[in-house]
Structures are given as C-alpha cells and as structure tokens.
C-alpha cells in the first residue's frame, strides 16, 4: 500500500552521557536545522515504488566550523490493535532519520587534548589496554583514528592494535580504549599511541611498560 510521509528537521547534539539528543530547530548548540528546507514536506511513496524529496541547505554568510541537524521522515500513525477491556488501542508508524554534519570549507580549527592516559600491560588472563580521555577542542566534528604500535627494547615493532573511529562533536569529551589481545616475552617495551584527526593532523604519545616474567606465557 502507498505510505504518506512528512519531512521534519530537528537540531542534533549530545548530552553529558555522550548520547545523541535532538531538539526543536534553534534550541541546541551549532544548530543547522533552520537552514534546511524540504520540497515537498509531505509526499506519498507508492507501493513498491520510490519518491524523491529535494533538501536545500542555505547557511548564512560568515559561517565557520561545524553545524548539525537531523532529518526525519515520518508516516501517519496507523491503528494496529483495537482497544479492548484489557488495553488501549495501539498505533505504529515509520520514522526514518539521517544525521546532517556540515563543515564550512577552509574554516576548520582542528585541535584535540589527551588526558588521564593509562596503559595496563599484558599479564596472565589480562590483555594490554590503553585508555585515555580525548577532548575535541575544534570548531567542528572529528572522527579520530586511534592506533597503537608496541616496540621492544631494540625498538622493533612486535605488535599493533587499533580501535574504531568514533564521532566527536565540538567540545565533546569521551574515553577511548585501544585493547590488544596477545602475549609478550618478559622485558621492557613501549607503546606508541597515534591519533589521526582532522585535516591529516597527528597526535603521538609514548608509554613505556614492563612485562614481568610471570606474564610471558599469557595467551
């Protein structure tokens, strides 16, 4: 059957738990929602067919850094269960969303800060783990890519690890962990953390550590 949809735009940001939050246009920081128009706002998708909607984004003059919104396409609620003596009527509808992350070209000011970094060496029944707090001090969003290289006492790379990229909005802080599951012979080592972010910028930090003899046989 055909489905009638309407287009809605909201602000997109994050809360103190680093969860996505949505709000009415113009109510959250770095809002782009008021720049966005749909043509048409209400449309029908035919059965087994498609429909096209034009989305126009018009940022004002002098815009710099990143701005954010979320597009929703919502269907009309349909009755799926009649009311009864035991329960109320139940309605259901479709809601499709798409995050909009905008950056004004050539206005990026990329900067990060790494703090509270701790490295847990491998041991019996324990993986190596590098954990740190990263703050995005940029004026736009970042997708930092964390990697760790493990070097032995002769500076030979003996292992590598990496974690998935995560989205950091401007001003957002969150923990990043880079685990490595494996064993190392007893000895002195160092882990080299590299964070690739922004326009090919690189952050590095070195973490010396020791693997005790008891951990040499850890799997």
């Amino acid at each position: 059957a055909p489905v009638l949809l309407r287009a809605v735009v909201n602000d997109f940001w994050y809360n103190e738990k680093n969860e996505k939050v949505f709000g009415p246009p113009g109510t959250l920081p770095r809002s782009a929602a008021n720049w966005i128009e749909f043509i048409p706002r209400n449309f029908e998708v035919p059965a087994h067919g498609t429909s096209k909607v034009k989305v126009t984004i018009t940022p004002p003059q002098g815009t710099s850094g990143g701005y954010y919104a979320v597009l929703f396409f919502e269907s009309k609620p349909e009755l799926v269960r009649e009311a009864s003596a035991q329960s109320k009527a139940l309605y259901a509808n479709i809601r499709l969303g798409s995050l909009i992350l905008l950056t004004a070209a050539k206005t990026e000011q990329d900067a990060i800060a790494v703090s509270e970094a701790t490295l847990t060496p491998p041991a019996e029944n324990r993986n190596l783990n590098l954990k740190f707090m990263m703050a995005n001090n940029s004026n736009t969003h970042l997708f930092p890519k964390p990697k760790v290289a493990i070097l032995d006492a002769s500076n030979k790379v003996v292992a590598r690890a990496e974690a998935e990229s995560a989205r950091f909005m401007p001003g957002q802080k969150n923990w990043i962990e880079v685990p490595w599951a494996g064993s190392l012979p007893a000895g002195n080592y160092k882990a080299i953390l590299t964070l690739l972010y922004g326009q090919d910028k690189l952050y590095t930090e070195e973490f010396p550590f020791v693997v005790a003899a008891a951990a040499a046989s850890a799997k």
Side-chain angles (χ1 to χ4, degrees):
V3 177
L4 189 65
L5 296 176
R6 69 172 185 137
V8 179
V9 60
N10 282 337
D11 284 351
F12 159 47
W13 200 239
Y14 60 93
N15 61 18
E16 65 280 358
K17 297 180 181 179
N18 288 305
E19 300 167 332
K20 291 192 297 290
V21 293
F22 307 129
T27 61
L28 296 178
R30 293 195 163 269
S31 166
N34 286 319
W35 307 347
I36 299 174
E37 289 292 337
F38 300 91
I39 305 173
R41 277 190 172 269
N42 298 284
F43 58 98
E44 185 179 87
V45 182
H48 307 290
T50 62
S51 290
K52 289 186 178 181
V53 177
K54 184 177 181 179
V55 179
T56 302
I57 304 175
T58 311
Q61 291 281 351
T63 298
S64 64
Y67 294 84
Y68 310 97
V70 58
L71 310 183
F72 286 119
F73 297 97
E74 301 175 338
S75 68
K76 181 181 178 181
E78 301 284 350
L79 180 67
V80 295
R81 188 182 68 196
E82 297 280 357
S84 67
Q86 291 78 30
S87 61
K88 296 181 179 180
L90 182 64
Y91 293 83
N93 71 318
I94 297 169
R95 194 186 199 206
L96 306 176
S98 179
L99 300 179
I100 302 297
L101 288 72
L102 306 174
T103 302
K106 299 180 181 180
T107 67
E108 302 93 334
Q109 298 173 5
D110 299 325
I112 65 169
V114 173
S115 61
E116 302 179 60
T118 58
L119 185 140
T120 304
E124 189 172 359
N125 301 319
R126 185 183 71 194
N127 295 332
L128 179 145
N129 190 64
L130 177 57
K131 181 179 180 180
F132 57 93
M133 175 68 73
M134 199 205 89
N136 178 13
N137 296 331
S138 312
N139 65 352
T140 189
H141 55 281
L142 297 175
F143 289 87
K145 183 64 178 177
K147 297 184 178 183
V148 171
I150 301 172
L151 284 65
D152 62 15
S154 60
N155 287 325
K156 178 183 177 182
V157 176
V158 295
R160 297 182 187 273
E162 62 181 67
E164 292 185 3
S165 294
R167 180 183 60 245
F168 280 75
M169 306 284 276
Q172 189 172 10
K173 298 173 63 177
N174 203 2
W175 291 101
I176 294 178
E177 292 190 55
V178 187
W180 178 71
S183 60
L184 294 170
N188 296 317
Y189 297 87
K190 57 185 175 184
I192 308 295
L193 168 67
T194 61
L195 270 173
L196 182 64
Y197 67 97
Q199 302 297 310
D200 297 326
K201 292 191 175 181
L202 193 66
Y203 172 91
T204 63
E205 188 171 347
E206 182 176 310
F207 300 87
F209 66 96
V210 177
V211 175
S217 61
K219 300 295 184 182

